[in-house]
């Protein structure tokens, strides 16, 4: 099956999730004996585009127009579906980022395709059956979704698939899709960056704080530990509801579901709604002074103790570790 | 302004998830169902935008008769009327086709959904409705303001946000920040019983996807406890044993 992957850039740069999705799409192409084509929209330099070749795309369709330099949902969806048709793709893959989540459903409707979002593994393909595993019930379970359509659209969850440098190269071609005024009904006026902080949904490491920290003034040590580790900061729902931390840091069933390699929960008891949002983490560390905190039941490592005693020790230990490296 | 808010009937957030029939069906026995928390935010913003007789809020749900308590809850919170499309919500595409038909017929200027439902977490239905209707959509917005004929929304992106302007009609899916949930008052609860709830039949839609089975996460191994005065050992273990830092 020929596969098309959308390589999302943010202001001309690719992020880790883009390399992950290319590796994932290359594996599907290999699995089904097809070729992998990538499509890029916006202003990405040729040398940056060429990087994508290493991960298994044999061709890159480059759509470069000033009007497309910032995200326009309808136009992007139209271009991706035109690219899919031009390479006769049976599978179209995107990243399950904020942008991917807005784009993929539109692409799926345009292509009359069945759609699985947030894939966690490669598809299982046996004969005519094509099924993909994804999370469900906000991390409390998994669902195996069967796609019955000729074309399939998949978005890949961040941190779910390993980047594989295959040492291959890709040819870059200009691609000229047809778009009309109708495709440009939304306009990005401004992009506001939340400093250089690591974003929570695709972070590899997360340090999260709860009510046990007693107040927003005590977040300094959480931020220091996170910054030393190169981690994103998160929080529990009561913390964001009280306005101690912004909503976009709220981890849990009604906030952000994360899947980092390491999740450190400090002063969070572990309500079922919070646990749902972190169940996909590879290693969970819990620091809580209550030995009965439910979070310890799903933790890999735990310290029963006061955060105000433990965290400064951890900060020192990370400094020592970094000094050795 | 005419606003359509799409609502979903989902298991309460404290539900322990189990499955029936060889892991092919969600076991709803004993499960309390609620209005999807993100849809509650969409509804709250819609009510704010139409305050003072400045428009009308309709809620729409694709579900069987058992979703009516959730629809009445939305009416109690402040929606003016409701439509129930009488079918089990087979998948996002099925639901999107049903709602798109209602939305076209009703000529709504603004359609709001939650960012995702907390049962299947697809975040699919909203953008699919917009694509079927051929109108703009903005997914996962945390702010929505209206000035004459233009709306300004803030969309979440990794590590920041985008400020976007869009003309009507359009669809947006909302997340935390867009409004605070509203708690129904006694007058709302009383009037909800008599507000119009129209039931319409579903249209046929191709089944493009279906859930073949569910799995539960594997149990984690028991926690390794480290004593408070040896906290540094945790960092050592994460580095050399778990190899995550």
């Amino acid at each position: 099956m020929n596969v098309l992957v959308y390589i999302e850039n943010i202001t001309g740069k690719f992020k880790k999730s883009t390399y992950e999705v290319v590796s994932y799409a290359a594996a599907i192409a290999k699995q089904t004996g097809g070729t992998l084509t990538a499509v890029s929209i916006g202003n990405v330099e040729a040398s940056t585009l060429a990087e994508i070749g290493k991960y298994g795309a044999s061709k890159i369709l480059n759509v470069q127009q000033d009007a497309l330099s910032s995200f326009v949902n309808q136009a992007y969806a139209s271009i991706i579906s035109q690219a899919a048709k031009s390479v006769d793709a049976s599978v179209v893959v995107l990243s399950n980022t904020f942008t991917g989540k807005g784009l993929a459903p539109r692409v799926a409707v345009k292509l009359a395709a069945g759609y699985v979002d947030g894939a966690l593994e490669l598809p299982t393909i046996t004969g005519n059956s094509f099924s993909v595993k994804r999370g469900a019930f906000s991390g409390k379970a998994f669902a195996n979704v069967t796609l019955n359509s000729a074309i399939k659209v998949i978005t890949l969850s961040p941190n779910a698939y390993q980047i594989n440098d295959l040492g291959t190269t890709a040819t870059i071609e200009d691609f000229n899709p047809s778009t009309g005024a109708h495709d440009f009904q939304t306009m990005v006026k401004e992009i506001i960056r939340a400093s250089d902080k690591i974003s929570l949904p695709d972070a590899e490491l997360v340090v999260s704080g709860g009510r046990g920290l007693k107040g927003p003034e005590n977040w300094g040590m959480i931020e220091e530990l996170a910054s030393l580790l190169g981690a994103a900061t998160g929080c529990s729902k009561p913390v964001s509801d009280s306005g101690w931390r912004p909503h976009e840091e709220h981890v849990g069933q009604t906030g952000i579901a994360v899947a980092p390699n390491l999740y450190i929960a400090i002063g969070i008891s572990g309500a079922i709604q919070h646990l749902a949002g972190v169940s996909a983490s590879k290693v969970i560390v819990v620091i809580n002074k209550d030995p009965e905190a439910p979070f310890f039941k799903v933790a890999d490592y735990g310290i029963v103790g006061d955060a105000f005693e433990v965290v400064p020790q951890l900060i020192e230990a990370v400094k020592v570790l970094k000094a050795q490296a | 302004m005419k606003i359509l808010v799409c609502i979903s009937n989902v298991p309460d957030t404290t539900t322990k998830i189990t499955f029936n029939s060889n892991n092919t069906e969600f076991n709803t026995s004993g499960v309390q169902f609620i209005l999807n928390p993100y849809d509650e935010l969409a509804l709250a913003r819609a009510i704010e935008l139409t305050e003072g007789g400045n428009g009308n809020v309709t809620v729409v749900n694709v579900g069987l008769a058992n979703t009516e308590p959730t629809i009445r809850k939305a009416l109690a919170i402040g929606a003016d009327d409701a439509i129930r499309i009488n079918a089990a919500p087979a998948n996002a595409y099925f639901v999107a086709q049903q709602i798109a038909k209602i939305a076209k017929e009703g000529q709504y200027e603004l359609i709001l959904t939650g960012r995702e439902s907390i049962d299947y977490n697809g975040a699919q239905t909203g953008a699919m409705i917009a694509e079927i209707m051929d109108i703009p959509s903005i997914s996962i917005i945390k702010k929505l303001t209206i000035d004459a004929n233009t709306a300004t929304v803030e969309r979440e992106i990794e590590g920041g946000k985008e400020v976007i302007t869009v003309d009507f009609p359009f669809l947006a899916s909302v997340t935390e920040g867009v409004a605070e949930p509203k708690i129904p008052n006694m007058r709302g609860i009383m009037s909800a019983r008599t507000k119009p709830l129209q039931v319409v039949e579903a249209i046929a839609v191709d089944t493009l996807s279906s859930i073949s089975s569910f799995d539960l996460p594997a149990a984690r191994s028991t926690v390794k406890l480290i004593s408070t005065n040896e906290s540094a050992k945790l960092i050592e273990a994460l580095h050399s044993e778990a190899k995550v830092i």
Side-chain angles (χ1 to χ4, degrees):
Chain A
M1 287 176 178
N2 287 345
V3 180
L4 179 82
V5 60
Y6 168 57
I7 45 176
E8 177 184 337
N9 73 80
I10 293 192
T11 55
K13 299 275 181 294
F14 295 126
K15 293 182 356 146
K16 189 173 135 271
S17 55
T18 302
Y19 298 117
E20 287 171 355
V21 79
V22 176
S23 289
Y24 178 80
I28 298 176
K30 193 174 169 201
Q31 208 179 0
T32 57
T35 61
L36 175 64
T37 306
V39 59
S40 170
I41 308 173
N43 294 317
V44 184
E45 284 183 23
S47 58
T48 309
L49 274 183
E51 284 281 299
I52 295 295
K54 289 202 291 199
Y55 307 102
S58 56
K59 186 165 76 180
I60 299 166
L61 301 175
N62 188 22
V63 183
Q64 210 156 1
Q65 289 171 21
D66 283 344
L68 296 167
S69 58
S70 56
F71 179 59
V72 196
N73 204 356
Q74 283 167 291
Y76 276 43
S78 167
I79 292 167
I80 294 168
S81 50
Q82 289 177 53
K85 286 176 189 155
S86 85
V87 297
D88 196 18
S90 304
V91 182
V92 178
V93 194
L94 300 89
S95 300
N96 198 39
T97 53
F98 287 111
T99 292
K101 285 179 191 190
L103 203 43
R106 301 197 74 124
V107 173
V109 170
K110 280 183 189 296
L111 297 172
Y115 168 38
V116 180
D117 63 291
L120 297 168
E121 291 174 4
L122 284 172
T124 306
I125 305 168
T126 37
N128 283 330
S129 150
F130 189 106
S131 116
V132 186
K133 184 173 181 174
R134 69 185 290 273
F137 297 97
S138 306
K140 293 176 185 171
F142 300 103
N144 299 301
V145 181
T146 301
L147 297 180
N148 312 308
S149 49
I151 302 179
K152 285 101 177 153
V153 174
I154 303 173
T155 60
L156 175 69
S157 215
N159 286 335
Y161 199 79
Q162 190 79 35
I163 299 171
N164 297 318
D165 185 341
L166 305 171
T168 45
T169 54
T171 56
I172 301 174
E173 284 175 20
D174 283 337
F175 182 64
N176 294 305
S178 67
T179 52
H182 185 73
D183 294 318
F184 292 87
Q185 296 187 74
T186 54
M187 187 178 300
V188 176
K189 289 287 176 193
E190 195 185 356
I191 296 176
I192 300 165
R193 297 245 147 253
S195 67
D196 331 318
K197 276 175 56 182
I198 295 160
S199 89
L200 191 55
D202 51 5
E204 286 184 40
L205 309 171
V206 176
V207 179
S208 216
R211 258 187 308 195
L213 290 164
K214 297 192 169 71
E217 66 280 6
N218 296 324
W219 244 261
M221 61 181 187
I222 300 293
E223 287 182 326
E224 186 179 359
L225 180 61
S227 137
L228 282 166
L229 290 168
T233 51
C235 70
S236 64
K237 187 171 194 301
V239 165
S240 70
D241 281 352
S242 317
W244 294 2
R245 302 295 295 174
H247 282 310
E248 50 272 28
E249 288 199 4
H250 163 200
V251 173
Q253 187 165 11
T254 54
I256 303 267
V258 294
N261 294 334
L262 173 63
Y263 187 82
I264 304 182
I266 302 169
I268 303 177
S269 61
I272 188 168
Q273 297 94 329
H274 187 81
L275 298 185
V278 305
S279 62
S281 309
K282 291 182 186 83
V283 174
I284 293 178
V285 171
V286 172
I287 298 160
N288 203 298
K289 68 180 176 195
D290 175 11
E292 302 297 320
F295 220 144
F296 283 115
K297 293 203 172 70
V298 299
D300 299 288
Y301 297 94
I303 298 179
V304 180
D306 187 346
F308 296 95
E309 267 178 63
V310 174
V311 177
Q313 291 186 52
L314 298 181
I315 289 172
E316 285 316 307
V318 176
K319 283 181 181 165
V320 169
L321 179 72
K322 290 185 86 170
Q324 287 165 354
Chain B
M1 178 167 15
K2 278 188 82 180
I3 306 180
L4 182 67
V5 179
C6 311
I7 62 170
S8 187
N9 182 53
V10 298
D12 180 74
T13 56
T14 58
T15 307
K16 192 173 184 300
I17 303 297
T18 57
F19 300 103
N20 278 340
S21 315
N22 211 5
N23 280 348
T24 57
E25 272 172 32
F26 171 49
N27 178 8
T28 57
S29 118
V31 171
Q32 172 90 23
F33 280 82
I34 57 166
L35 174 55
N36 183 40
Y38 294 114
D39 303 346
E40 237 179 301
L41 303 179
L43 178 59
R45 188 66 190 129
I47 293 167
E48 288 169 5
L49 289 170
T50 54
E51 253 160 26
N54 181 30
N56 184 83
V57 178
T58 302
V59 290
V60 60
N61 169 259
V62 178
L64 300 173
N66 61 357
T67 68
E68 289 200 0
T70 292
I71 299 174
R72 291 284 174 203
K73 168 95 187 284
L75 292 169
I77 291 171
D80 297 294
D81 48 63
I83 301 168
R84 180 171 67 81
I85 299 162
N86 187 31
N91 58 47
Y93 182 66
F94 176 86
V95 170
Q97 287 286 4
Q98 309 303 330
I99 295 178
K101 179 170 180 281
I102 294 292
K104 265 185 225 166
E105 287 168 359
Q107 300 194 322
Y108 296 91
E109 293 154 278
L110 174 62
I111 305 168
L112 295 176
T113 71
R115 67 175 280 169
E116 64 190 46
S117 65
I118 62 165
D119 48 4
Y120 298 106
N121 316 100
Q124 302 186 6
T125 309
M128 283 183 173
I129 294 169
E131 181 59 37
I132 295 163
M133 295 179 70
D134 199 18
I135 60 170
S137 60
I138 304 120
S139 291
I140 316 185
I141 65 163
K142 42 207 249 183
K143 199 172 172 192
L144 164 62
T145 51
I146 292 173
D147 176 23
N149 289 324
T150 302
T152 303
V153 302
E154 283 182 18
R155 174 176 87 96
E156 201 158 343
I157 56 172
E158 283 73 13
K161 59 190 177 186
E162 272 178 5
V163 182
I164 298 170
T165 56
V166 57
D167 293 340
F168 297 99
F170 70 92
L171 179 144
S173 77
V174 308
T175 190
E176 287 176 307
V178 82
E180 289 300 320
K182 287 194 192 305
I183 295 156
N185 57 25
M186 191 46 79
R187 208 179 113 237
I189 294 168
M190 298 306 285
S191 67
R193 294 187 201 157
T194 52
K195 282 180 178 172
L197 193 171
Q198 190 195 345
V199 179
V200 300
E201 290 309 314
I203 51 172
V205 174
D206 288 344
T207 306
L208 300 179
S209 72
S210 56
I211 293 178
S212 40
S213 64
F214 294 98
D215 299 315
L216 288 169
R220 287 189 180 255
S221 54
T222 45
V223 56
K224 286 188 190 168
L225 285 176
I226 294 166
S227 75
T228 305
N229 49 20
E230 291 180 323
S231 298
K233 285 197 174 162
L234 170 65
I235 299 300
E236 232 173 82
L238 293 176
H239 179 65
S240 45
E241 190 178 85
K243 296 188 169 41
V244 287
I245 59 171

